[in-house]
Amino acid sequence: MSWLKAYANKAFNSADAAIKAAATAAAATAVGPDSKSTRAVLKDHVTYIRSFADAASAKEPRERNTDWDKLALAYRLPEELDAMMQLLEAENASAHAIREDPLQGPCTMFFLEDNVMELMYQLMSLDHSVALQKCVIKTVIRALRLRYELLDNGSVARVVMQMAERLEYSPMRPHFALTHCEFLYALCDKVQRNPGALLPVFMSKNVSTATLGHEFLLLNWSIQHIQDSAGGEYAQRGILSLVGISDGRVAEAAVAHSSLIERTVRVVDHAFHKALESMDGGAGAMDEVGARRRRPEPAPFYAAIKFVDALVRVADGRVGATVLEVLDAQFMRQTLRKRLQVGSEVQHVGVMEMVRGLLEPDPALMRLSPPRHAR
């Protein structure tokens, strides 16, 4: 393991030298407000970040198992990424002017010209990192939320698509599941706002015959996380954003090339069973009517029904009709009927209480609250 120790010492020495150089540059910049342009300052930050990414990518495969999170902290990478985004966000108010005259947005133009999004993908490609990947994902989310539409640039859109694909299958994904779902939601929101340009990017070209249509990868990835304890609400809102697009390809992909219908019904079924768990497993779950018993917890079930209602309202008629048809066949006629036919009287009362709640809903329970970090 002497090679690892030597590499670590070398990396930390390089980091120390880079930090001192950055401090010297920062001191020079602080001499006066006009001593350095914002574009030049951004270039310094990007060059600094790129030096870390290039050094990491150049290592031998056996050296790529290094703890990148520790090295990233030594390089002050989170601070550099934040400083880079602050310069871009400072130009947010001028987004319209930048579209008219690119010279009005020197930092935004540098971000595009220097392929900074590809640099973010390069950092994302470092395995065996959690804090670093989470930090990079949050940086990309901030970039996507700029008023200037970076995804209008075709090369940026394709790189972001590659990011989404890599993160979806990353073995480290469970450690940053919430951040990943927030990233997918940000992408879904962008596609909904500009479907003409972005749908072709996020539609798979692997399934392209006239009879089969296209697989909508972004939709399918969001569906996979619809029941996640961390990020499930982001996934649901992303799905609603996508199926609300008035495009036949979206409806065809949702019905024929995704598990949206089955997963939606599964969400309702799972929430129904979860709502009755407290009553079924409680010490007071007795068969005598009027006996002390725990009441069902209906909030998860109502939230699932609320999602179905929103899906039917915003989606193409084919999607809505199929959802209701399968929901009727699998949930209403199987799960719910079995509860009413085989269950005890206590269970019957619990089920009827929840059904009555759907007919006379409590606004506090029926509200699907937005994610904490949603726009």
Side-chain angles (χ1 to χ4, degrees), residues 57-170:
S57 300
K59 299 305 173 187
E60 295 296 327
R62 65 175 185 172
E63 295 179 319
R64 292 174 189 166
N65 295 336
T66 305
D67 189 341
W68 298 117
D69 289 340
K70 287 185 178 179
L71 292 178
L73 288 175
Y75 262 78
R76 299 185 306 111
L77 218 60
E79 290 85 348
E80 292 295 322
L81 290 169
D82 179 64
M84 177 185 76
M85 287 311 306
Q86 286 185 34
L87 289 170
L88 289 168
E89 289 165 348
E91 294 182 351
N92 238 352
S94 308
H96 179 73
I98 295 173
R99 283 189 286 270
E100 298 293 330
D101 179 12
L103 294 178
Q104 297 296 317
C107 292
T108 303
M109 291 301 105
F110 177 82
F111 187 92
L112 293 171
E113 293 165 4
D114 206 52
N115 300 319
V116 178
M117 198 62 84
E118 291 186 8
L119 173 59
M120 297 297 102
Y121 179 73
Q122 188 179 355
L123 289 173
M124 226 177 251
S125 302
L126 296 176
D127 296 326
H128 306 283
S129 68
V130 174
L132 174 59
Q133 292 207 36
K134 187 183 295 186
C135 181
V136 174
I137 297 169
K138 289 183 176 181
T139 300
V140 174
I141 293 172
R142 288 172 67 180
L144 292 176
R145 288 178 175 166
L146 294 172
R147 293 181 184 176
Y148 186 91
E149 292 291 352
L150 296 174
L151 293 182
D152 285 350
N153 183 296
S155 61
V156 172
R158 286 188 290 274
V159 170
V160 172
M161 172 63 174
Q162 292 172 355
M163 288 180 180
E165 185 171 12
R166 184 174 190 87
L167 291 173
E168 183 65 29
Y169 304 111
S170 169

Side-chain angles (χ1 to χ4, degrees), residues 8 20 190:
K20 291 178 180 178
K190 289 296 182 183

